[in-house]
């Protein structure tokens, strides 16, 4: 039994988000982890240091954040990187030429780009499949498959992947199962408990939570994997600075209360949109009409703050809607306290050819929102006004 909330896994996530990995400073009593703006450390004798020698290799502010994030995912080990892409890159560093990866046909655009435009050049192969269909995942495996990379909920249609089922398939083929848990956050979904080997995060989104920092993390319960991640952290050098780590530590303290409000607002907004005459379809896993609702209900504590909806509108009309809001800011990204709105076709998903985009359900009138923690009534009034102005 371990009574210290700084490392006690038996405390609930609301308590761990505030305390895990953090101790008041022994010398001064300072409550908050300081920003250790420091590149090198005094050694007592050559090679004899007090845990730190150089800040790319390790930094005390980063150490506290890594322990905090590991605790949130019920994990033993955490490693932080300079961005979500840098953490994804680190998982790919584990692979060698000739290896094959199975992944979703709707993965995050940056993930699709690093797979096809960086690692295909190094002779890794990727299969992009519909991950909501477990038999499609199974069929995509080959002898060379070393990694299953998945996201759930996905972007922008909020498709839900059965994590336990997918992890079982990966393990049946001796492959690693890694999950990008950025959309759900550890407050709503703990993939390691469902069988995943690695969880990847863009700290830029909900974990930072205030749209003021870019960062990434990998967490795992596998000591050997963690050691490899540590090796690449140091060898490649895509590590976050202490100020970035401090900002994310500040963010994770309020993750549970923020997520509760994100979910509450998204739920209200989704129900309102579903009843709107100009809205053809709403993609929110909390709605019973969503094809992934039952699995989401089982593997998530709540349904998150992201939703998309399809307006019965042309590309231009939908563009007018997202340009006409006052509370929602027209911007890419997600997970901050403020509500954001965007149109995937000309923005986040513009790189996908139109035919392919339409086939995937990403219509011209599709709009994605990151529901913030403002008052739900203000969000509804804002959207109602923008839709009315643009479509009538
Ligand atoms: C933003 C995002 C990333 C990339 O993270 P960065 O911090 O922007 O590098 C990866 N995956 C998902 C799901 C994201 O939303």
């Amino acid at each position: 039994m371990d009574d210290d909330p700084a490392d006690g896994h038996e405390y609930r996530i609301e308590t761990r988000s505030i305390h895990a990995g953090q101790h008041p400073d022994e010398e001064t009593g300072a409550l908050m982890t300081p920003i250790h703006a420091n590149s090198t450390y005094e050694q007592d004798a050559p090679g004899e240091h007090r845990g730190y020698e150089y800040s790319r290799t390790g930094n005390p502010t980063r150490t506290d954040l890594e322990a905090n994030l590991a605790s949130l995912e019920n994990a033993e080990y955490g490693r932080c990187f300079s961005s979500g892409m840098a953490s994804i890159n680190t998982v790919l560093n584990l692979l060698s030429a000739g290896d094959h990866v199975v992944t979703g046909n709707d993965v995050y655009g940056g993930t699709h780009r690093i797979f096809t435009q960086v690692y295909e050049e190094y002779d890794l192969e990727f299969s992009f499949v519909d991950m909501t269909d477990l038999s499609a995942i199974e069929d995509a495996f080959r002898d060379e498959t070393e990694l299953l990379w998945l996201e759930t909920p996905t972007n922008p249609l909020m498709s839900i992947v059965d994590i336990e089922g997918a992890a079982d398939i990966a393990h049946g083929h001796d492959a690693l199962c890694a999950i990008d848990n950025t959309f759900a956050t550890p407050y709503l979904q703990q993939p390691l408990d469902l069988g995943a080997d690695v969880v990847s995060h863009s700290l830029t989104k909900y974990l930072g939570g205030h749209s003021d920092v870019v960062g990434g993390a990998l967490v795992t319960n596998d000591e050997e994997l963690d050691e490899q991640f540590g090796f690449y952290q140091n060898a490649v050098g895509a590590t976050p600075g202490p100020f970035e780590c401090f900002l994310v530590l500040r963010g994770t303290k309020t993750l549970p209360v923020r997520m509760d409000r994100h979910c509450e607002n998204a739920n209200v907004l989704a129900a309102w949109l579903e009843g709107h005459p100009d809205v053809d379809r709403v993609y929110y896993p909390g709605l019973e009409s969503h094809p992934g609702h039952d699995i989401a209900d089982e593997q998530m504590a709540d349904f998150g703050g992201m939703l998309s909806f399809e307006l019965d509108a042309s590309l231009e009309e939908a563009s007018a809607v997202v340009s006409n809001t006052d509370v929602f800011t027209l911007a890419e990204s997600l997970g901050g306290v403020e509500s954001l709105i965007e149109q995937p076709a000309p923005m986040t998903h513009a790189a996908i050819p139109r035919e392919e985009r339409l086939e995937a359900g990403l219509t011209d009138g599709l709009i994605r929102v990151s529901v913030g923690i403002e008052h739900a009534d203000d969000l509804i009034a804002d959207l109602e006004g923008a839709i009315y102005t643009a479509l009538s």
Side-chain angles (χ1 to χ4, degrees):
M1 181 70 187
D2 160 36
D3 290 319
D4 188 349
D7 38 41
H9 277 225
E10 76 271 22
Y11 288 92
R12 302 200 191 188
I13 194 165
E14 292 82 353
T15 307
R16 284 181 280 131
S17 67
I18 294 168
H19 295 287
Q22 292 171 77
H23 285 108
D25 181 59
E26 279 185 22
E27 206 172 302
T28 63
L31 206 58
M32 290 303 130
T33 296
I35 301 167
H36 287 274
N38 192 47
S39 61
T40 191
Y41 303 81
E42 182 191 31
Q43 305 205 0
D44 298 323
E48 254 179 62
H49 55 80
R50 291 162 237 168
Y52 297 95
E53 48 194 326
Y54 188 64
S55 274
R56 165 161 38 75
T57 325
N59 174 285
T61 315
R62 193 172 98 204
T63 302
D64 282 10
L65 175 60
E66 289 175 337
N68 183 263
L69 294 171
S71 176
L72 295 184
E73 289 281 3
N74 298 332
E76 287 293 320
Y77 311 103
R79 298 277 178 180
C80 290
F81 297 88
S82 54
S83 67
M85 289 319 304
S87 55
I88 293 168
N89 181 64
T90 303
V91 175
L92 295 168
N93 285 162
L94 301 173
L95 306 180
S96 320
D99 287 349
H100 174 245
V101 178
V102 175
T103 190
N105 57 7
D106 55 356
V107 281
Y108 174 71
T111 305
H112 189 270
R113 180 174 53 205
I114 196 174
F115 286 172
T116 57
Q117 293 183 43
V118 180
Y119 281 95
E120 279 184 354
E121 298 291 312
Y122 288 83
D123 285 332
L124 293 187
E125 290 191 45
F126 299 86
S127 294
F128 298 92
V129 304
D130 175 4
M131 303 286 261
T132 62
D133 177 1
L134 290 181
S135 63
I137 300 179
E138 176 73 55
D139 290 347
F141 270 77
R142 309 175 190 164
D143 291 344
E144 301 77 28
T145 309
E146 295 290 336
L147 174 67
L148 175 65
W149 181 275
L150 63 93
E151 287 172 19
T152 179
T154 68
N155 178 28
L157 301 185
M158 312 304 144
S159 295
I160 301 295
V161 180
D162 174 350
I163 297 173
E164 211 164 5
D168 279 351
I169 292 172
H171 296 152
H173 293 271
D174 289 325
L176 218 55
C177 176
I179 302 200
D180 184 333
N181 202 26
T182 301
F183 269 42
T185 82
Y187 183 62
L188 302 181
Q189 176 171 280
Q190 294 99 30
L192 298 179
D193 292 347
L194 298 170
D197 303 294
V198 181
V199 166
S200 175
H201 275 291
S202 168
L203 303 175
T204 315
K205 315 296 167 54
Y206 289 106
L207 290 165
H210 296 76
S211 309
D212 54 7
V213 62
V214 173
L218 294 175
V219 298
T220 181
N221 279 314
D222 185 319
E223 188 177 2
E224 212 174 299
L225 271 180
D226 176 66
E227 269 171 25
Q228 286 177 289
F229 295 154
F231 170 79
Y232 288 113
Q233 214 177 21
N234 188 43
V236 177
T239 51
F243 183 57
E244 282 71 25
C245 294
F246 171 83
L247 284 175
V248 180
L249 265 176
R250 201 173 196 273
T252 57
K253 286 180 194 298
T254 55
L255 178 73
V257 289
R258 284 186 287 109
M259 289 315 292
D260 281 343
R261 177 68 78 85
H262 282 298
C263 293
E264 191 184 311
N265 281 357
N267 197 46
V268 171
L269 203 61
W272 175 78
L273 283 164
E274 215 174 30
H276 194 290
D278 293 322
V279 173
D280 282 343
R281 198 161 167 189
V282 183
Y283 296 94
Y284 184 62
L287 294 174
E288 280 180 25
S289 60
H290 192 282
H293 175 74
D294 290 345
I295 297 171
D297 195 29
E298 220 161 89
Q299 70 187 17
M300 301 176 76
D302 205 335
F303 302 102
M306 295 297 298
L307 66 84
S308 293
F309 59 98
E310 207 174 285
L311 276 176
D312 180 13
S314 66
L315 189 81
E316 293 70 27
E317 287 170 325
S319 293
V321 171
V322 300
S323 307
N324 265 316
T325 51
D326 296 319
V327 182
F328 284 87
T329 302
L330 175 59
E332 296 184 6
S333 197
L334 58 120
V337 291
E338 60 286 302
S339 291
L340 303 181
I341 192 163
E342 70 111 1
Q343 189 179 12
M347 294 175 70
T348 47
H349 294 68
I352 309 174
R354 186 163 187 272
E355 284 313 307
E356 211 179 301
R357 179 161 60 67
L358 292 179
E359 212 166 293
L362 309 183
T363 56
D364 292 337
L366 189 73
I367 291 174
R368 185 190 82 177
V369 297
S370 172
V371 185
I373 64 172
E374 301 96 340
H375 198 291
D377 291 351
D378 291 332
L379 299 179
I380 287 174
D382 192 34
L383 268 187
E384 186 165 37
I387 293 172
Y388 181 80
T389 308
L391 300 190
S392 58

